Every structure is written in C-alpha cells, then in structure tokens.
Amino acid sequence: MDFQMASFITSGLLVVIGLYGVFFVDNVLKKIIALEILGSGVNLALIAIGYNGGTIPIKLPNVPLNVFAKESAYPLTHALVLTNIVIEASMLAVMLGVSIILYKKYKTLKGSVILKED
C-alpha cells in the first residue's frame, strides 16, 4: 500500500468518525471535537490528492520548467488546506465561545436538554 492510498483510507475513516459524532452524539463539546476530526479528514484527503510522489512546489533556478511541472506536487490543494486550517481555527473559537455561553445559561452541554428548555 502506497502513501496516497493509506492517506485516502485514513481520511475516509476520519470523515466517518466525524460524521458519526456530529449526528449521533448528544454533547455539544463532543460535536465540536467531531467537527474538528471531520475537518482533519478533509484536509488529509486534499493533501493526498495533491501528492504525486514528487518534490515540493518551489521552482529552483536550475530546473527546467517542464521537469518542474512534471515532478512537483500540486500546490493548489496545499493552499486550500492552509485556508481551511485558518477557517477551522476561527470556527473553533466561535463554537467554543457559544458552548461556554450555553453552559452558563443551561448548566449542561447536552443538546437534548438545551433544545427542550426553549
């Protein structure tokens, strides 16, 4: 099994675990953790898509352009992963802030209890 196939299998497992946590776990904090696991699975899948067994996508002056284009990894997926990491960090901060507010108001983080209160 090569690196790319192992990455796809691992990312699939992470996405399934994340989706299970989002849909079937009642605790709000555990749902946030599941969303982070889901995001990590998506990031790993994007990195695996961009990996082609080549070198880093930095153009060196003594390498011809056709050789560089053939041997370097695909840089767009790496840029998407970096963007996704920044978005996930800000979403995590907002979700944790909302969960703190929910806990202060309802004294619990169980979603079923919070939804029954309103």
Side-chain angles (χ1 to χ4, degrees), residues 13-90:
L13 287 173
L14 288 174
V15 168
V16 168
I17 291 169
L19 287 175
Y20 175 79
V22 167
F23 289 119
F24 297 112
V25 173
D26 192 31
N27 193 320
V28 173
L29 195 58
K30 290 179 182 176
K31 284 184 184 284
I32 293 171
I33 293 171
L35 278 173
E36 289 299 313
I37 292 172
L38 179 67
S40 297
V42 171
N43 286 341
L44 185 59
L46 285 173
I47 290 172
I49 289 170
Y51 178 75
N52 63 356
T55 61
I56 56 174
I58 297 174
K59 174 79 172 79
L60 298 174
N62 56 356
V63 177
L65 189 58
N66 58 350
V67 174
F68 169 73
K70 185 178 179 182
E71 293 183 356
S72 66
Y74 193 52
L76 178 63
T77 56
H78 293 86
L80 287 173
V81 168
L82 286 175
T83 305
N84 194 17
I85 288 171
V86 171
I87 291 171
E88 277 187 17
S90 52

Side-chain angles (χ1 to χ4, degrees), residues 95-110:
M95 287 188 295
L96 289 176
V98 170
S99 66
I100 289 171
I101 293 170
L102 287 174
Y103 185 77
K104 284 182 179 177
K105 183 174 182 179
Y106 297 105
K107 302 297 181 197
T108 184
L109 286 178
K110 289 187 175 183

